[in-house]
Amino acid sequence: MPSKPAKYGIKIWVACDTQCSYAWKMQVYTGKPTSEGPEKNQGMQVVLGVTDRLMGHNVPWDNVFTSYQLSQQLQKKITMVGTVRKNKPEIPLHSSTQSGREAFSSKFAFTTTLVSYLTKRNKNMVLLSTMHKTAKISDHKDRKPDIILDYNHNKRGVDKVIGTDSCRMTARWPLVIFHNIIDVSSYNAFVIWNKINPTWMPDKWNKRMFLEQLGKALVTPHIQRKESQRTVKQIPCAAHVRNTSAKSMHTHLHTFLHVLVEFIDLCSHFCFVSSLLFIHLVGGGNG
């Protein structure tokens, strides 16, 4: 991935809110199929997967995903705005050429709205939109169409989700995925908490403080349960175990399993806290 800061990594497709960056749905890219031949229409399949169950929204994306065929499949439930690769067969010839055109000029095509905008000489930008129906252009010096203004305003929603990375350097990709689930879940919980409690620290968007309080709230019941178990007097055993090494091994094994169960329980609770808060928010909104 030449444009990314790291040369290697795990590719995750994300659909998130453009304002608060709440992660709606994520898919881990597992590589090319090995038995079914070359992968076709990857961009379309990704978009159809991550936008499943979305209704009445407008979704911007880049030229990896945009196509006329995809816009027709989505137009009954959501609208879209996206840049288009100029070598697409459905792009009209007059929209992909730059010769003889002035800088900051626009050409439109309709049915599904297509705009070709010349940002400077010999640099053409083509966008497709099912949201915009008119050839409206701004009054600024660059005379950008509204399609481009809306696209530029809404295309940065994924950046905050990408930046929520707390995993240390490791070559174990399952651990990286696990930490990513924790990070995104905690960020979603943070977004929902601020929506439900807008008066909580109104002067700051303090994610670190929220994570500290969230961590304490999650581990406190487990700490209290462990302390209560320590206070319970152990009932004397009638049988006497003479093999002290076997007894010690059994004790360590029992302690390890107990800690492991508590850890799995804590991680599961932490991963799904944002989902529970989301259900609470939706239920409160419907009420």
Side-chain angles (χ1 to χ4, degrees), residues 86-87 91-102 105-107 115-118 120-126:
K86 292 182 281 294
N87 61 353
I91 302 300
L93 182 62
H94 74 276
S95 298
S96 58
T97 57
Q98 299 100 5
S99 59
R101 293 179 56 183
E102 297 179 356
S105 63
S106 301
K107 285 187 177 181
V115 62
S116 170
Y117 174 71
L118 217 63
K120 57 180 72 175
R121 285 192 178 277
N122 300 323
K123 189 172 182 181
N124 189 17
M125 186 177 183
V126 182

Side-chain angles (χ1 to χ4, degrees), residues 78-224:
I78 62 174
T79 58
M80 52 78 64
V81 180
T83 54
V84 188
R85 292 177 177 174
K86 292 182 281 294
N87 61 353
K88 289 280 187 179
E90 61 262 30
I91 302 300
L93 182 62
H94 74 276
S95 298
S96 58
T97 57
Q98 299 100 5
S99 59
R101 293 179 56 183
E102 297 179 356
F104 310 131
S105 63
S106 301
K107 285 187 177 181
F108 288 86
F110 293 96
T111 300
T112 298
T113 305
L114 182 76
V115 62
S116 170
Y117 174 71
L118 217 63
T119 58
K120 57 180 72 175
R121 285 192 178 277
N122 300 323
K123 189 172 182 181
N124 189 17
M125 186 177 183
V126 182
L127 286 90
L128 187 71
S129 173
T130 58
M131 175 185 177
H132 302 82
K133 306 299 182 183
T134 61
K136 189 175 180 180
I137 297 175
S138 69
D139 298 331
H140 295 86
K141 183 180 179 180
D142 54 9
R143 294 178 291 168
K144 286 184 179 180
D146 278 6
I147 297 177
I148 294 180
L149 295 177
D150 289 342
Y151 174 78
N152 291 339
H153 179 70
N154 296 317
K155 68 179 181 179
R156 297 184 179 90
V158 183
D159 294 345
K160 287 184 180 179
V161 178
I162 295 176
T164 57
D165 185 11
S166 64
C167 183
R168 68 180 188 271
M169 294 297 294
T170 177
R172 295 180 293 171
W173 67 263
L175 183 61
V176 175
I177 295 293
F178 176 76
H179 276 267
N180 184 261
I181 293 173
I182 297 294
D183 290 335
V184 175
S185 299
S186 60
Y187 181 82
N188 280 358
F190 175 60
V191 172
I192 295 174
W193 175 262
N194 276 278
K195 294 295 182 182
I196 298 176
N197 303 278
T199 58
W200 183 78
M201 301 186 68
D203 299 331
K204 297 181 179 179
W205 182 259
N206 199 330
K207 180 186 172 186
R208 182 182 295 275
M209 182 64 69
F210 172 81
L211 291 179
E212 288 182 4
Q213 296 186 13
L214 176 63
K216 290 178 181 178
L218 290 174
V219 301
T220 297
H222 298 274
I223 294 175
Q224 293 175 347

Side-chain angles (χ1 to χ4, degrees), residues 243-258:
N243 191 341
T244 57
S245 61
K247 181 180 179 180
S248 177
M249 183 180 296
H250 179 271
T251 303
H252 287 305
L253 179 61
H254 180 271
T255 304
F256 170 77
L257 292 176
H258 180 71

